[in-house]
Amino acid sequence: MLKLDYKELIQSDRFLTLGGKRFHYIWLYDHCLCPRCYHPSSFQKINDLSDRLELPKPKSVQFQDEKLIIDWDEDPPHRSIFPRSWLLSRAYDPKPEPSLSPREKQLWDKAWLDANPPEWCEYGNCSFEFWMNQLSTLGFTLLRKMPWEKLETFVSSIGPIYYLAQYGRYSTVKAIPNGQDLSLSAAGNALSPHTDITFLPTPPIVQLLYCVENQASGGESTVVDGFRVAHDFRQDHPQYFEILTQTPVTFWQLYQDWDYYVSQTKPIIKLNDSEEVTNIFFSHKNLGLDLPFEQMESFYEAYYGFFRYLKKPAYEYCFRMQAGDCLLVHNFRIMHGRKAFDASSGSRHLETAYMDWNYFAGRQDFYQVKEMF
Amino acid sequence: MLKLDYKELIQSDRFLTLGGKRFHYIWLYDHCLCPRCYHPSSFQKINDLSDRLELPKPKSVQFQDEKLIIDWDEDPPHRSIFPRSWLLSRAYDPKPEPSLSPREKQLWDKAWLDANPPEWCEYGNCSFEFWMNQLSTLGFTLLRKMPWEKLETFVSSIGPIYYLAQYGRYSTVKAIPNGQDLSLSAAGNALSPHTDITFLPTPPIVQLLYCVENQASGGESTVVDGFRVAHDFRQDHPQYFEILTQTPVTFWQLYQDWDYYVSQTKPIIKLNDSEEVTNIFFSHKNLGLDLPFEQMESFYEAYYGFFRYLKKPAYEYCFRMQAGDCLLVHNFRIMHGRKAFDASSGSRHLETAYMDWNYFAGRQDFYQVKEMF
């Protein structure tokens, strides 16, 4: 806990020390909260120091009434006042703790879910915190008994939709002739586990899949925790894992109806600087391989090795979507798919939308940080 | 040019050679165009090999009537037929040339634009290719005399809008009380050069700025080629440049009205694996610094060094937007800003929207590749 007491105020050449924490003058000047420097409703900085050649210097510094007050050596006079609580939440000596709690992830497979069966929410009868916590930790959640006419209310309560090509707010997943995507094929084919929109550089996406009707035989939905699969695959086949993190491949989509060819070249498994898996890009139907001859076979070995893992029943959570079910899936972590269905046996009708993950998370984060402003 | 002649067909253990180009059997099998393996309207792959433990083997291979025909050693029988032109455009031995031409960039400063003054399009009197080429090479373009009632037609002809928070398709840039962003401030303050939405992980964005009315004194628009500035800064201050590519900083935005706090931590200058600049993230008003005490001053030196470059008149293209002007800016390359204006002197009203760069590029690319399908 940062204690600020004027008795503990020490001035140095380029910084001051208050309650044992050092603050550079340049940082304090840059964060000045006076109306000339700081916009009171957006909390954004107006001033910038790039026109100056010299560092700002204080003429006097004092701490009183729980406030640090600095009069800068400037003409016209310029005074900065920092409330104690404001400084407290922004101290950087040493590097501050992140102001947001990290989001814990629970990697899962079928056995884990069997041992820890999640309780699914009923729409209108469950808090944002509850299902959002599932979505954060498991990478997916299921809201049940959501009336179709409430879907738009629900979506709008979270945030904007990420529009995919010329589809509207929602796109309809139904067996149709000449679909622009295999998921719409009139054949009712199975879809192996995949992530969506791998062919575009999108923001992190939550895919929403709402079931309007499901009378067809077959067509069960599946989800797989790609991070869990990647974790196990890395242990068992480190060389294959490395190939999938190091080899850029091309995901592409041709939208004939709309005159677009979109493509993205990137490795299937993306790591961050700490070598942790942050994204899985996997969509067999959209995969193009433009590798040199010498890499082709070893890539296929690694690729099909991983694909076999993805399809292991031990990883699969399989369930039948009922009318009113709304599945939210953290795309690029969780892979989803479906079993084949008989399109002639009855209607299977889903509506899908893509929502920007940042607005789910941004809502959670807002409640954490709002006191800082 | 790939010549395919059946006389040149050579079979090996794991691949065949046709016209001097090698194709692996696994690759050919994976790309089988038969109706069981390949979806005829989306051109997506249906089959996958992950259920097999053995590599596919051909029973017979022939080249006739400009087609490669493979009967696979399978029960039930399975035949793949590849047209010559299809193979030609996808040969990978050696690694193929990219099927899409690279987009050339022309880095510019004021002197370059003075020497090569761009001709701006008039809406309805200019081809997609013309202004799109400007947008690709210079990073921005200006469409003039676009009637306000045509703005939506224009936007819809390109692609979907990327929705920012709870704004609608457009957000209005006007001086208003208590704006959620400094750009809306009733004070009509200047905005130094910046990129937009640095606080979210978005797709590559084209910012559209449409001028409805501009009667205010002041408020000239500015654009700066961030890639050109970065290029020069790198030459002159390699250590500062390195700090800006290596130090993650936090861009944040608080949307009080909508209960969001969104933030992104990343370096200001992003390089690709070849050390080329691919993105500039720069928005002083949204910048938060949570660096350790020891890094703070050297970061500020590098940051303000770069900021001073960005503001040099030698880089600035400055112009006054007139009613009907529509500015398109490749965000994350081109920085934009405005001079201060006197909000009491007349109305200054812009409408802004964010469009996904992929749909501009995807249209260009479609015309290049459509013959391949």
Side-chain angles (χ1 to χ4, degrees), chain A residues 273, chain B residues 239-249 266-271 275 291 295 299:
Chain A
D273 292 340
Chain B
Q239 302 90 336
Y240 286 172
F241 183 83
E242 201 188 331
I243 288 174
L244 297 189
T245 61
Q246 301 297 321
T247 311
V249 296
K266 53 196 173 192
I268 283 176
I269 300 175
K270 187 179 164 194
L271 304 178
E275 302 281 305
L291 304 175
Q295 285 177 37
F299 179 82

Side-chain angles (χ1 to χ4, degrees), chain A residues 46-229:
Chain A
I46 302 172
N47 72 326
D48 86 72
L49 287 159
S50 62
D51 298 323
R52 307 171 58 118
L53 289 174
E54 282 169 24
L55 285 175
K57 286 196 192 316
K59 198 156 61 186
S60 81
V61 176
Q62 47 186 317
F63 186 73
Q64 63 182 33
D65 296 338
E66 297 291 297
K67 291 187 179 79
L68 177 71
I69 301 166
I70 305 179
D71 286 295
W72 299 100
D73 188 6
E74 276 185 11
D75 183 26
H78 181 194
R79 168 175 279 199
S80 299
I81 302 174
F82 300 99
R84 178 185 178 279
S85 61
W86 192 97
L87 283 171
L88 184 88
S89 62
R90 286 163 179 85
Y92 58 91
D93 173 28
K95 187 168 178 172
E97 297 294 310
S99 47
L100 301 169
S101 330
R103 273 173 248 284
E104 300 295 339
K105 287 188 182 67
Q106 173 62 54
L107 304 193
W108 54 263
D109 56 12
K110 184 172 185 305
W112 189 91
L113 284 180
D114 285 345
N116 304 274
E119 184 193 335
W120 302 124
C121 266
E122 289 192 7
Y123 176 75
N125 202 9
C126 170
S127 67
F128 171 82
E129 287 69 23
F130 185 85
W131 63 259
M132 183 64 204
N133 188 42
Q134 288 180 329
L135 181 57
S136 278
T137 55
L138 302 178
F140 76 107
T141 190
L142 196 54
L143 290 160
R144 302 209 118 138
K145 301 193 179 173
M146 186 187 293
W148 194 7
E149 62 274 15
K150 294 290 182 192
L151 177 59
E152 182 57 30
T153 308
F154 173 70
V155 166
S156 303
S157 75
I158 303 300
I161 276 180
Y162 176 80
Y163 279 70
L164 179 60
Q166 310 289 47
Y167 295 111
R169 289 178 67 77
Y170 304 92
S171 56
T172 299
V173 183
K174 247 185 180 172
I176 57 165
N178 303 315
Q180 290 204 82
D181 191 279
L182 198 47
S183 60
L184 311 175
S185 171
N189 53 280
L191 291 174
S192 51
H194 62 282
T195 47
D196 271 23
I197 350 184
T198 45
F199 42 79
L200 282 173
T202 65
I205 287 287
V206 174
Q207 188 190 17
L208 178 153
L209 269 160
Y210 178 83
C211 181
V212 182
E213 192 178 11
N214 192 2
Q215 306 291 343
S217 61
E220 291 80 11
S221 297
T222 59
V223 283
V224 170
D225 185 350
F227 285 5
R228 173 62 195 260
V229 176

Side-chain angles (χ1 to χ4, degrees), chain A residues 32-47:
Chain A
C32 176
L33 301 173
C34 86
R36 207 186 70 188
C37 295
Y38 184 74
H39 190 238
S41 55
S42 69
F43 310 106
Q44 294 171 343
K45 286 186 236 183
I46 302 172
N47 72 326

Side-chain angles (χ1 to χ4, degrees), chain A residues 30 158 162 182 260 300 356, chain B residues 30 44 158 162 260 300 356:
Chain A
D30 188 38
I158 303 300
Y162 176 80
L182 198 47
Y260 296 132
Y300 267 117
D356 195 331
Chain B
D30 188 38
Q44 294 171 342
I158 303 299
Y162 176 81
Y260 297 133
Y300 267 117
D356 195 331

